[in-house]
Amino acid sequence: MPGLTSHKFSQYKPTFPQVTWPPLEEVPVIQRGQSADIRKNALLSAADKVSHLSSALGTEISGIDLRKLSNEQKDELALLVAQRGVVYFRNQDLNVHEQLDLGRYFGPLHKHTSAAIPARPGLEEVNVVYHDGTMPKDGYNSFFSTEQLWHSDCTYELQPPGITSLKLLVGPQFGGDTLWSSSYALYSSLSPGLQTYLEGLKALHEDPESEKKFTRRPPAETVHPVVRVHPVTGWKSLFVNPGFTSRIVGIPKAESDCILAFLYSQLSSNPEFQVRFRWEPNSVAIWDNRIVTHSAIYDYWPATRHALRVTPHGEKPLSVDEYEAKTGKTAIDRLNDREHWGLDSKSPTYL
Ligand SMILES: O=C(O)CCC(=O)C(=O)O
Ligand SMILES: [Fe+2]
């Protein structure tokens, strides 16, 4: 009953109010995963089932109600997401305010400069993802190649998002899946010489959309390290993405183009780094934008797909040198860190 469904969620339909917000300022972020017990028993033992969907990333948990998590379980969820990149839950009844509260636990919430926000006032921290049959069939595919659709959210900000959630309200019977790609796995796949070279570089992130759309804040562009270290796991990750990283700075343009083209082709096309999620209404994905990229698939026109995203800020990305100076610890390639996380040598996963 499409009429009923669209009425039920009409307050979350997309709007683009022409309001202006002040520029973002630096905000403190508490790394919740840092307080978690490494075994994550409070969270995992409360679940009916925990299934890893691929070696590199993606875990589905059933039997947990996201409205009822204790702070201890939320801390463990933050750690799990930092390790597995993205964690999925189905049949979640949490409403948008509960989704906002959960997000706020992980960091101050980001307000998007230009993306749609819900029609109902007071929900500026919610991002609306919405397509239906009245919109062009080609959708984003007429503006971007499938490779360009891969991105990590809002990396042009000074403090790009950390632990982000997306809840599907309405979706097609089939199609409209989302893909995620592990940037830990991408880093870990490179030869030691290339890893070391990239660790010394920085790249420019900017929003190509900001020239085309009304922006509620002056558009940001920021230079971030090409390899960043996750503050909780201490693992190194490639931090460039086709959506927003335009060039590596301080090296010849041709060299930057060539390296970025190689990295983008790897992250978007190497299935070993990827996981694909088939949504149902009330599915929630929680991913760590610091260490994964993602890409939605627009193959469901003319069906309606409607989802809400809540996006906490992460820290200012730390380069390997910054992480080591700050913590006195050595940042590590995830592939070499199995023992620390209690994995035996045969375990295919990185839980
Ligand atoms: O529609 C989706 O599955 C994801 C869209 C997206 O990129 C996002 O919400 O960050
Ligand atoms: Fe996104």
mmCIF file of all heavy atoms in Angstrom, residues 129 151 153 166 178 279 287 294 296 305 309, ligand 1:
data_model
loop_
_atom_site.group_PDB
_atom_site.id
_atom_site.type_symbol
_atom_site.label_atom_id
_atom_site.label_comp_id
_atom_site.label_asym_id
_atom_site.label_seq_id
_atom_site.Cartn_x
_atom_site.Cartn_y
_atom_site.Cartn_z
ATOM 1 N N VAL A 129 17.813 9.976 2.883
ATOM 2 C CA VAL A 129 18.152 9.283 1.632
ATOM 3 C C VAL A 129 16.812 8.903 1.011
ATOM 4 O O VAL A 129 16.036 8.172 1.639
ATOM 5 C CB VAL A 129 18.985 8.020 1.934
ATOM 6 C CG1 VAL A 129 19.184 7.180 0.689
ATOM 7 C CG2 VAL A 129 20.319 8.392 2.584
ATOM 8 N N HIS A 151 32.343 6.375 -1.709
ATOM 9 C CA HIS A 151 32.771 7.510 -0.887
ATOM 10 C C HIS A 151 32.782 7.123 0.591
ATOM 11 O O HIS A 151 32.210 6.101 0.988
ATOM 12 C CB HIS A 151 31.816 8.704 -1.081
ATOM 13 C CG HIS A 151 30.431 8.417 -0.580
ATOM 14 N ND1 HIS A 151 29.526 7.658 -1.294
ATOM 15 C CD2 HIS A 151 29.807 8.734 0.583
ATOM 16 C CE1 HIS A 151 28.412 7.526 -0.603
ATOM 17 N NE2 HIS A 151 28.549 8.169 0.559
ATOM 18 N N ASP A 153 31.621 9.351 4.026
ATOM 19 C CA ASP A 153 30.790 10.548 4.139
ATOM 20 C C ASP A 153 31.586 11.804 4.539
ATOM 21 O O ASP A 153 32.374 11.768 5.492
ATOM 22 C CB ASP A 153 29.663 10.311 5.154
ATOM 23 C CG ASP A 153 28.725 9.203 4.685
ATOM 24 O OD1 ASP A 153 28.525 9.084 3.461
ATOM 25 O OD2 ASP A 153 28.228 8.443 5.533
ATOM 26 N N LEU A 166 22.491 4.195 9.486
ATOM 27 C CA LEU A 166 21.464 4.406 8.460
ATOM 28 C C LEU A 166 20.355 3.401 8.711
ATOM 29 O O LEU A 166 20.610 2.198 8.816
ATOM 30 C CB LEU A 166 22.059 4.200 7.063
ATOM 31 C CG LEU A 166 21.125 4.488 5.883
ATOM 32 C CD1 LEU A 166 20.832 5.995 5.754
ATOM 33 C CD2 LEU A 166 21.742 3.998 4.562
ATOM 34 N N THR A 178 23.458 -1.952 -0.595
ATOM 35 C CA THR A 178 24.585 -1.047 -0.408
ATOM 36 C C THR A 178 25.851 -1.884 -0.260
ATOM 37 O O THR A 178 25.819 -2.967 0.333
ATOM 38 C CB THR A 178 24.368 -0.159 0.832
ATOM 39 O OG1 THR A 178 23.097 0.483 0.711
ATOM 40 C CG2 THR A 178 25.439 0.910 0.967
ATOM 41 N N TRP A 279 18.940 -4.870 2.235
ATOM 42 C CA TRP A 279 18.136 -4.201 3.255
ATOM 43 C C TRP A 279 16.720 -4.765 3.318
ATOM 44 O O TRP A 279 16.176 -5.202 2.308
ATOM 45 C CB TRP A 279 17.988 -2.714 2.933
ATOM 46 C CG TRP A 279 19.235 -1.937 2.884
ATOM 47 C CD1 TRP A 279 20.074 -1.778 1.812
ATOM 48 C CD2 TRP A 279 19.811 -1.170 3.952
ATOM 49 N NE1 TRP A 279 21.128 -0.962 2.157
ATOM 50 C CE2 TRP A 279 20.987 -0.575 3.457
ATOM 51 C CE3 TRP A 279 19.440 -0.919 5.274
ATOM 52 C CZ2 TRP A 279 21.794 0.255 4.229
ATOM 53 C CZ3 TRP A 279 20.241 -0.100 6.047
ATOM 54 C CH2 TRP A 279 21.405 0.476 5.532
ATOM 55 N N TRP A 287 28.257 1.936 10.506
ATOM 56 C CA TRP A 287 29.600 1.776 9.950
ATOM 57 C C TRP A 287 30.520 2.873 10.465
ATOM 58 O O TRP A 287 30.060 3.904 10.962
ATOM 59 C CB TRP A 287 29.575 1.737 8.426
ATOM 60 C CG TRP A 287 29.205 3.007 7.706
ATOM 61 C CD1 TRP A 287 30.062 3.970 7.246
ATOM 62 C CD2 TRP A 287 27.883 3.434 7.307
ATOM 63 N NE1 TRP A 287 29.360 4.962 6.594
ATOM 64 C CE2 TRP A 287 28.029 4.665 6.608
ATOM 65 C CE3 TRP A 287 26.602 2.894 7.455
ATOM 66 C CZ2 TRP A 287 26.950 5.362 6.083
ATOM 67 C CZ3 TRP A 287 25.521 3.599 6.934
ATOM 68 C CH2 TRP A 287 25.698 4.809 6.258
ATOM 69 N N HIS A 294 31.732 3.386 1.049
ATOM 70 C CA HIS A 294 30.500 2.680 0.712
ATOM 71 C C HIS A 294 29.903 3.246 -0.574
ATOM 72 O O HIS A 294 30.266 4.345 -1.014
ATOM 73 C CB HIS A 294 29.484 2.751 1.860
ATOM 74 C CG HIS A 294 29.144 4.138 2.296
ATOM 75 N ND1 HIS A 294 29.943 4.870 3.146
ATOM 76 C CD2 HIS A 294 28.095 4.946 2.003
ATOM 77 C CE1 HIS A 294 29.402 6.054 3.355
ATOM 78 N NE2 HIS A 294 28.277 6.129 2.677
ATOM 79 N N ALA A 296 25.954 3.153 -2.674
ATOM 80 C CA ALA A 296 24.572 2.675 -2.814
ATOM 81 C C ALA A 296 24.344 2.280 -4.268
ATOM 82 O O ALA A 296 24.955 2.843 -5.175
ATOM 83 C CB ALA A 296 23.598 3.778 -2.405
ATOM 84 N N ARG A 305 12.596 4.184 -2.125
ATOM 85 C CA ARG A 305 13.580 3.780 -1.100
ATOM 86 C C ARG A 305 13.813 4.995 -0.211
ATOM 87 O O ARG A 305 14.145 6.079 -0.706
ATOM 88 C CB ARG A 305 14.875 3.310 -1.753
ATOM 89 C CG ARG A 305 15.902 2.734 -0.780
ATOM 90 C CD ARG A 305 17.050 2.131 -1.586
ATOM 91 N NE ARG A 305 18.120 1.556 -0.785
ATOM 92 C CZ ARG A 305 19.105 2.245 -0.235
ATOM 93 N NH1 ARG A 305 19.146 3.563 -0.357
ATOM 94 N NH2 ARG A 305 20.058 1.626 0.455
ATOM 95 N N ARG A 309 19.796 8.851 7.970
ATOM 96 C CA ARG A 309 21.188 8.683 8.437
ATOM 97 C C ARG A 309 21.507 9.663 9.553
ATOM 98 O O ARG A 309 21.117 10.836 9.497
ATOM 99 C CB ARG A 309 22.153 8.908 7.274
ATOM 100 C CG ARG A 309 23.559 8.413 7.582
ATOM 101 C CD ARG A 309 24.528 8.752 6.473
ATOM 102 N NE ARG A 309 24.957 10.127 6.586
ATOM 103 C CZ ARG A 309 25.454 10.846 5.590
ATOM 104 N NH1 ARG A 309 25.560 10.333 4.376
ATOM 105 N NH2 ARG A 309 25.827 12.090 5.787
HETATM 106 O O1 LIG B 1 21.522 4.731 0.328
HETATM 107 C C1 LIG B 1 22.405 4.135 0.917
HETATM 108 O O2 LIG B 1 22.373 2.925 1.144
HETATM 109 C C2 LIG B 1 23.621 4.893 1.396
HETATM 110 C C3 LIG B 1 23.580 6.314 1.003
HETATM 111 C C4 LIG B 1 24.780 7.011 1.564
HETATM 112 O O3 LIG B 1 25.796 7.104 0.952
HETATM 113 C C5 LIG B 1 24.725 7.485 2.952
HETATM 114 O O4 LIG B 1 23.648 7.523 3.558
HETATM 115 O O5 LIG B 1 25.776 7.822 3.480
#
